[in-house]
Amino acid sequence: MRLRTPLALLGAALLVLVGPPLLTTGSGAESGTHIPGLRLMVPNTPGGGYDITARTAAKNAEDAGLTRSVEVFNLPGAGGTVGLTRLVNERGNGKLAMSMGLGVVGAVRSNHAPRTLADTTPIARLTEEQDVVVVAKDSPYRTIDDLVTAWKAAPGRLPVGGGSSPGGPDHLAPMLMARAVGIAPKDVNYIPFDGGGELLASILGSKVAFGVSGVGEYRDQIEAGELRLLAVTGPERVPGLDAPTLKESGYDVEFTNWRGVVAPPGLTDAERGKLVRLLEALHDSKEWQASMKRNGWDDAFLTGDEFGAFLAAEDERVVSVLKELGL
């Protein structure tokens, strides 16, 4: 999480090989990126940010010849902490990794999870992206000012949905928005969903007044006209999307999310090094670079111990922001 003004945060992927493919040219054997039987866990439901990042990375890794027969599996629950517990319990398993991000950092705190990210082996931070503020296509709110006016008049009667538990990016972004427009964060009617896929149906069905999620999760629905984009939360407009930033709309908020990959504890240096090399090769591939551009993801690549230090700092900042917001 990166705090910009005055509090903005930042807010996956790998692979799951169903069997040990032959070590042939183009399989990653020569570059040392091939890990037979590698599995990637997505700790939320299909269609969410972790899921999209994971499946994109898996396809890109195949297309770049880094590995073969990639599979991704979902283990949702409790904002990602069910998957986190499973990961930590797989101590010493060098063929398992988990996509994750700021949402898991927050869920650990809000759910008082028995396992934390300090129990994992940090592999790499991959991307950073803005959140979007969206409504259904038939919503009465046509601009961000329309929404803010109605929200200020009756904050409790306008539920906002997010694809993360309290403390995660889709929760923190509207809380920072609320404070910027003069609404007490404790008065916000926030409804958490287990990922952007679950949230989408509630936005489309007008079960929530508006939703906050990652740009990559809802870009297709925005471009198809199913969702109306009111604003983006980052420092600049998103290329190809016609919506202002919150800051240029007069609301003093800049917020970005991030996503990365962690592995079980107890890995050998060789096992950890191979996972890092695989993600380094993926990061440098033209396939991954094209996917980042298409999904509106910014490059935030960071590996190993530096990523571990970042995770520790994120945990401290989430706690600090929740306290400052009175949450």
Side-chain angles (χ1 to χ4, degrees), residues 59-221:
K59 184 177 187 306
N60 290 168
E62 284 187 332
D63 293 345
L66 301 176
T67 190
R68 298 171 59 193
S69 303
V70 177
E71 179 192 353
V72 178
F73 73 99
N74 299 76
L75 184 63
T81 58
V82 170
L84 175 62
T85 298
R86 162 75 180 277
L87 186 82
V88 174
N89 288 341
E90 293 275 345
R91 183 177 184 85
N93 185 351
K95 297 184 178 182
L96 178 66
M98 185 180 84
S99 69
M100 48 73 69
L102 178 58
V104 175
V105 178
V108 166
R109 287 295 178 179
S110 61
N111 294 328
H112 306 288
R115 303 294 188 179
T116 74
L117 290 165
D119 297 317
T120 70
T121 299
I123 303 300
R125 184 183 68 189
L126 297 176
T127 63
E128 181 182 27
E129 73 170 334
Q130 302 194 40
D131 268 359
V132 291
V133 181
V134 293
V135 296
K137 63 181 180 182
D138 56 354
S139 167
Y141 312 120
R142 305 199 65 82
T143 68
I144 188 64
D145 288 336
D146 290 344
L147 174 63
V148 167
T149 298
W151 197 22
K152 289 174 68 175
R157 291 206 297 269
L158 265 70
V160 50
S164 57
S165 299
D170 299 349
H171 170 252
L172 292 173
M175 294 303 166
L176 293 167
M177 285 174 56
R179 190 178 68 170
V181 304
I183 297 171
K186 63 182 177 60
D187 292 337
V188 174
N189 183 6
Y190 177 76
I191 301 177
F193 294 83
D194 200 357
E198 284 192 357
L199 169 63
L200 179 60
S202 288
I203 301 173
L204 293 175
S206 299
K207 299 286 183 22
V208 295
F210 66 104
V212 178
S213 193
V215 60
E217 294 173 78
Y218 290 162
R219 185 165 195 144
D220 288 347
Q221 289 80 11

Side-chain angles (χ1 to χ4, degrees), residues 185-264:
K186 63 182 177 60
D187 292 337
V188 174
N189 183 6
Y190 177 76
I191 301 177
F193 294 83
D194 200 357
E198 284 192 357
L199 169 63
L200 179 60
S202 288
I203 301 173
L204 293 175
S206 299
K207 299 286 183 22
V208 295
F210 66 104
V212 178
S213 193
V215 60
E217 294 173 78
Y218 290 162
R219 185 165 195 144
D220 288 347
Q221 289 80 11
I222 292 168
E223 292 178 342
E226 296 173 6
L227 293 176
R228 181 182 300 147
L229 175 59
L230 301 185
V232 296
T233 65
E236 299 176 349
R237 292 190 176 211
V238 175
L241 296 181
D242 184 19
T245 67
L246 289 171
K247 191 89 177 273
E248 73 177 274
S249 301
Y251 309 112
D252 192 16
V253 177
E254 286 184 13
F255 178 90
T256 52
N257 186 17
W258 58 267
R259 298 192 179 97
V261 175
V262 294

